[in-house]
Amino acid sequence: MNDKFKFFCGTVALIGRPNAGKSSLINALLKSRAQIVSPKAQTTRNAVRCIYTDESKNLQIIFIDTPGLFKVKNNNDKLSRYLNDAVKNALEDCDLIFWIVDSGAKNLNEDDNEAAEILNDININIKNIPVVLVANKSDKFNFDSEKVFKLYESIYKFNNKISVSAKFNKNIDKLIELAKSYMPEQGFLYDPEILIDSTEKFMAEEIIREKILLFLRDEVPHCTAVNIEEYKSPDEYPERKNLYIRAVLTVETEGQKKILIGNNGSMIKKIGMSARNSLEDLTGFKIYLDLWVKIYPNWRKNINALKNLGYA
C-alpha cells in the first residue's frame, strides 16, 4: 500500500547527560518553543510529552523530553532519584530512544555508564527498544563525528547514529525521517493542533522556574520548587478580565529566600515581570502574577514534600 494511505505514530524518548541539549533539540524538532531551556543542570524535572505532527506525511511523533540522566551518589537525595525514575518510566513505554550526547565529548563519565546500564537492563528484561545515538551541538565544535560515535559505541551497541545541530537546524529533517522509519503504523494519538501534553498550570510553573534559572545562579535555582496554588482564567471565570496566578516558590534555607527575593524585593520583581510577559504571550490574557516565597528545609530529601510539590 502507498504510504499516503498509511498513518505512522509512535513515541520517542530522549535521554542524555544534563545539559546535552535535549530540550533545545525538542524545540528544533517541533519548530516551536515547547520546552524551557537553560545551561544549568536539572532544567527539565519532569518527563514531558511534546507532539510533532506532519499531516502531509501522515506522521505524528510524541517526543518525551526527560530529565538529565546522572549517577545518583546520595540515596537521601530523593529529588535526584525521582528524576532518574522519571527517565526509566519514560523509556519503558516508547518505540524509539534518542541518546543525546555532546558532539564535543572527549571522554565518558559515570553518567554515560549509568545510561548504558539502564538501557541494557530495559532491553534485556522488558523489551528490545531501538536506540539512536544523536551527537548534538555539532555547530560548536570542529569535530570528527566518527570519534564521538566510536566513544559511545564502546559502551553500547546502537541501531543508528546521526550528528545534528539544534541551534542551526542541521540534520533536523533527517532526524525526523530517521524517527519515522521506526514508528509503528497506526492512527494519531493526539489532535494535530496539540503541541504539548500538559496543563496550562504546569506550563506556567515551568515558565516561572525558567526565569529563576535565568536570573539566579549557584544552588538557588536547584533548591527552588514552583507550585501554583491558584490559577483563575477568564475561560473558567467569565467575570474576570485578567488571568490570576498565585505561585509559591519553595526554597530550603533563609539565605536562599533572601537571594530569591533580593534587596527590597528587586529579584522577585524581576522574575515576576519576565514571567508575566512570557505568560501573557502564551495565554493571550493580561496576567496578575502573585509570587510568594516560603522555606521548607531539605525539601529535596523529603518524600512527602516532593509529593506535595508534584515530584512524586
Side-chain angles (χ1 to χ4, degrees):
M1 183 183 294
N2 194 299
D3 271 8
K4 71 178 182 178
F5 300 111
K6 297 179 180 179
F7 284 79
F8 300 90
C9 181
T11 303
V12 180
L14 281 70
I15 67 166
R17 295 182 192 176
N19 297 334
K22 297 183 296 297
S23 296
S24 297
L25 185 56
I26 286 279
N27 291 340
L29 288 163
L30 270 61
K31 296 181 172 61
S32 180
R33 186 179 179 279
Q35 286 292 78
I36 68 172
V37 176
S38 165
K40 299 180 177 71
Q42 290 190 15
T43 298
T44 301
R45 283 182 176 173
N46 296 276
V48 182
R49 290 174 172 254
C50 303
I51 298 90
Y52 167 93
T53 303
D54 187 337
E55 293 184 274
S56 68
K57 297 179 181 178
N58 294 343
L59 174 65
Q60 185 172 86
I61 304 173
I62 298 93
F63 291 105
I64 306 178
D65 188 12
T66 65
L69 192 58
F70 56 95
K71 185 76 172 179
V72 179
K73 300 177 182 179
N74 184 351
N75 287 332
N76 290 325
D77 187 350
K78 300 293 193 301
L79 177 60
S80 294
R81 292 180 64 183
Y82 164 82
L83 297 179
N84 272 9
D85 286 344
V87 178
K88 295 174 186 177
N89 291 335
L91 296 181
E92 292 175 6
D93 189 30
C94 66
D95 301 295
L96 176 66
I97 296 169
F98 283 168
W99 186 343
I100 315 300
V101 303
D102 195 312
S103 61
K106 293 180 173 58
N107 298 292
L108 300 171
N109 64 19
E110 58 187 5
D111 298 339
D112 298 313
N113 290 320
E114 177 79 358
E117 289 179 16
I118 289 172
L119 290 177
N120 280 318
D121 181 62
I122 288 173
N123 284 339
I124 291 172
N125 298 313
I126 299 176
K127 64 177 181 179
N128 189 31
I129 305 170
V131 181
V132 173
L133 178 62
V134 182
N136 191 22
K137 305 181 183 180
S138 61
D139 57 283
K140 292 180 62 177
F141 305 97
N142 181 17
F143 77 107
D144 180 355
S145 60
E146 289 305 315
K147 290 183 179 179
V148 180
F149 295 151
K150 186 176 180 180
L151 180 66
Y152 280 87
E153 285 175 325
S154 68
I155 58 171
Y156 194 83
K157 184 176 181 180
F158 296 92
N159 298 81
N160 220 316
K161 54 197 176 185
I162 184 173
S163 65
V164 303
S165 168
K167 184 176 182 179
F168 291 104
N169 289 312
K170 174 186 173 183
N171 286 342
I172 296 301
D173 290 339
K174 288 184 179 180
L175 189 57
I176 290 287
E177 289 302 314
L178 180 58
K180 180 183 178 180
S181 67
Y182 291 97
M183 295 298 97
E185 185 181 343
Q186 63 175 338
F188 291 174
L189 298 177
Y190 289 88
D191 184 295
E193 298 299 317
I194 295 177
L195 186 67
I196 181 169
D197 184 8
S198 295
T199 64
E200 287 185 357
K201 177 181 173 182
F202 171 79
M203 295 174 73
E205 288 174 341
E206 289 292 274
I207 286 174
I208 295 168
R209 196 164 61 83
E210 177 186 47
K211 305 309 178 184
I212 296 170
L213 286 160
L214 176 64
F215 295 124
L216 292 171
R217 57 187 178 84
D218 299 329
E219 272 297 299
V220 177
H222 306 301
C223 297
T224 306
V226 179
N227 185 39
I228 291 180
E229 296 191 340
E230 285 189 74
Y231 189 95
K232 294 183 177 179
S233 168
D235 288 335
E236 293 184 86
Y237 300 87
E239 71 279 5
R240 299 194 61 87
K241 293 183 179 179
N242 296 340
L243 168 57
Y244 173 74
I245 299 174
R246 182 179 187 273
V248 175
L249 315 183
T250 301
V251 294
E252 293 185 322
T253 68
E254 182 66 34
Q256 292 163 4
K257 180 178 179 179
K258 289 180 179 178
I259 293 171
L260 188 54
I261 293 175
N263 292 332
N264 298 318
S266 59
M267 180 54 68
I268 200 72
K269 289 177 183 177
K270 187 177 182 180
I271 292 168
M273 184 179 296
S274 183
R276 186 171 64 251
N277 290 337
S278 294
L279 288 166
E280 288 180 348
D281 290 341
L282 174 71
T283 64
F285 293 119
K286 287 292 183 182
I287 289 176
Y288 184 90
L289 181 58
D290 193 10
L291 298 180
W292 294 78
V293 183
K294 75 174 185 180
I295 300 171
Y296 194 132
N298 297 316
W299 69 263
R300 291 179 297 173
K301 298 179 180 180
N302 188 307
I303 190 65
N304 291 324
L306 288 171
K307 288 180 180 178
N308 292 335
L309 294 169
Y311 291 118

